[in-house]
Amino acid sequence: KQVATGEYYRNMVRKEITAEVKRAWAYYQYAANLCSLYREESELAVRLQEAGKLRYEQGDITLLERNMATTLAADLRTRLMQAEEELQLAVRRFTWACYADSPIVPADSTLALLPGVTGEAAPSEAHLNYFRSVADEKKAMLRIERSRFFPELSVGYVRQKIAPLSGLDSWMVGISFPVLFFPQHSRVRQAKIDSYIARTEAESNIRQLNNKVEELSVALRKEGEHIRYYTTGALPEADALLKSATVQFKESETDITQFVQSLNAAREIRRGYIEAVYAYNISALELELYSR
């Protein structure tokens, strides 16, 4: 029973290690795309700052509008630095998850959805087998303690030769039984309590596993709806808004205030999509870990 428990535990840990590597990869994907977003926005804000400075010198905009462009550029530079630090952290986490001695940088950082569990998710056999095996192990220990009340039989054979004599072989048959039963009664009671606790914990862990699988399935469906909201409506609108605002600003058909508002709105939508993809991928990985 102990050997079986160890094998089930190994299978469970194997799934958890694989899931941790996938989590680290999903985190790197999130950090890389967030860094790319702020780098692109920062470059756009720098061009806006230069244009604002030129227009202010020409008297086309006010000092407030020029300061607004400068503030936006400084804010995005700070966000970019923070995103780059988070990306380095993601590399270290991925390296650690792979048990590597040197940094490992994934070759692909494309923002993509991980495949989810198809069909109705069922609890992981690796986890279920481990929980049940621990309870079975304690039950086996209880049977061992109860068996110590019965007599023990022993049979032995001795072959010896003492020169010049030979043929001094002998057989021994014996029986032994406990004289005092009180200590063994205490050990049996303790084993019975341990078996009951192990069985109760196994039932509780199995119930929690079922609930977790159900909750993750619901969360994955909700995240999927969130992703569809972005892909079918929000992202195209953000691209159109940014493109239109850029064209109007180049042709001096809009002021800096409106352009900054459009830029911020588009950025928040794109950042929201990156975060939604990361949340979906984490839910998919957790469901994969705790289900078959």
Side-chain angles (χ1 to χ4, degrees):
K1 288 297 181 181
Q2 290 175 344
V3 171
T5 300
E7 292 177 348
Y8 292 139
Y9 181 74
R10 180 188 58 191
N11 296 336
M12 186 175 66
V13 170
R14 181 184 290 115
K15 288 194 68 175
E16 292 177 350
I17 291 176
T18 304
E20 182 59 30
V21 174
K22 292 183 177 182
R23 287 192 206 101
W25 184 87
Y27 179 54
Y28 175 83
Q29 179 192 66
Y30 160 78
N33 282 272
L34 199 63
C35 189
S36 178
L37 170 64
Y38 284 129
R39 185 178 295 111
E40 180 182 339
E41 295 285 331
S42 181
E43 293 173 356
L44 184 59
V46 169
R47 293 197 297 269
L48 173 64
Q49 182 183 9
E50 294 173 352
K53 180 180 179 181
L54 182 59
R55 289 188 182 184
Y56 176 74
E57 292 174 352
Q58 294 173 348
D60 296 336
I61 63 173
T62 64
L63 178 61
L64 177 62
E65 290 178 308
R66 193 198 72 170
N67 291 341
M68 182 177 295
T70 303
T71 302
L72 176 64
D75 178 63
L76 287 174
R77 279 196 300 271
T78 302
R79 290 173 182 259
L80 176 59
M81 291 176 56
Q82 294 174 346
E84 289 174 344
E85 291 178 357
E86 189 166 10
L87 181 60
Q88 294 300 319
L89 177 63
V91 172
R92 289 195 294 269
R93 177 178 174 182
F94 188 77
T95 302
W96 173 83
C98 294
Y99 294 88
D101 297 328
S102 57
I104 299 179
V105 179
D108 185 13
S109 61
T110 305
L111 194 64
L113 297 177
L114 296 178
V117 177
T118 58
E120 185 176 356
S124 167
E125 285 291 342
H127 290 75
L128 290 176
N129 289 335
Y130 173 71
F131 297 150
R132 292 165 180 162
S133 185
V134 171
D136 291 342
E137 184 180 327
K138 295 299 181 180
K139 188 176 181 180
M141 292 300 299
L142 174 60
R143 289 198 298 268
I144 289 176
E145 294 299 337
R146 283 175 172 171
S147 69
R148 300 187 193 281
F149 284 116
F150 299 99
E152 294 184 0
L153 299 177
S154 61
V155 179
Y157 172 70
V158 178
R159 182 180 181 181
Q160 60 181 348
K161 179 180 180 181
I162 304 176
L165 301 178
S166 61
L168 302 178
D169 305 343
S170 63
W171 289 88
M172 293 181 295
V173 178
I175 182 173
S176 62
F177 52 87
V179 177
L180 299 177
F181 292 95
F182 298 108
Q184 189 58 33
H185 270 299
S186 299
R187 284 190 285 269
V188 169
R189 284 197 300 269
Q190 182 61 50
K192 187 182 297 184
I193 293 173
D194 293 341
S195 177
Y196 173 77
I197 292 175
R199 186 176 71 252
T200 303
E201 289 181 347
E203 293 173 354
S204 177
N205 289 332
I206 292 173
R207 187 163 52 249
Q208 291 178 12
L209 181 62
N210 288 323
N211 292 338
K212 194 172 188 66
V213 169
E214 185 176 353
E215 291 174 359
L216 288 171
S217 299
V218 174
L220 191 62
R221 288 194 294 269
K222 289 173 60 179
E223 295 296 342
E225 292 295 331
H226 203 192
I227 295 295
R228 278 188 286 273
Y229 156 74
Y230 278 104
T231 55
T232 58
L235 282 178
E237 291 177 2
D239 294 338
L241 175 63
L242 184 58
K243 183 178 180 180
S244 174
T246 303
V247 171
Q248 291 180 358
F249 182 75
K250 286 181 179 180
E251 297 177 355
S252 301
E253 296 179 1
T254 184
D255 57 23
I256 288 183
T257 302
Q258 293 176 339
F259 181 77
V260 169
Q261 291 175 348
S262 300
L263 183 64
N264 288 336
R267 183 182 69 247
E268 289 303 312
I269 292 174
R270 295 172 64 188
R271 185 173 64 87
Y273 174 68
I274 294 173
E275 293 176 348
V277 171
Y278 178 62
Y280 177 91
N281 286 341
I282 292 300
S283 296
L285 292 176
E286 293 298 307
L287 185 58
E288 181 185 24
L289 170 62
Y290 293 112
S291 64
R292 298 178 187 176

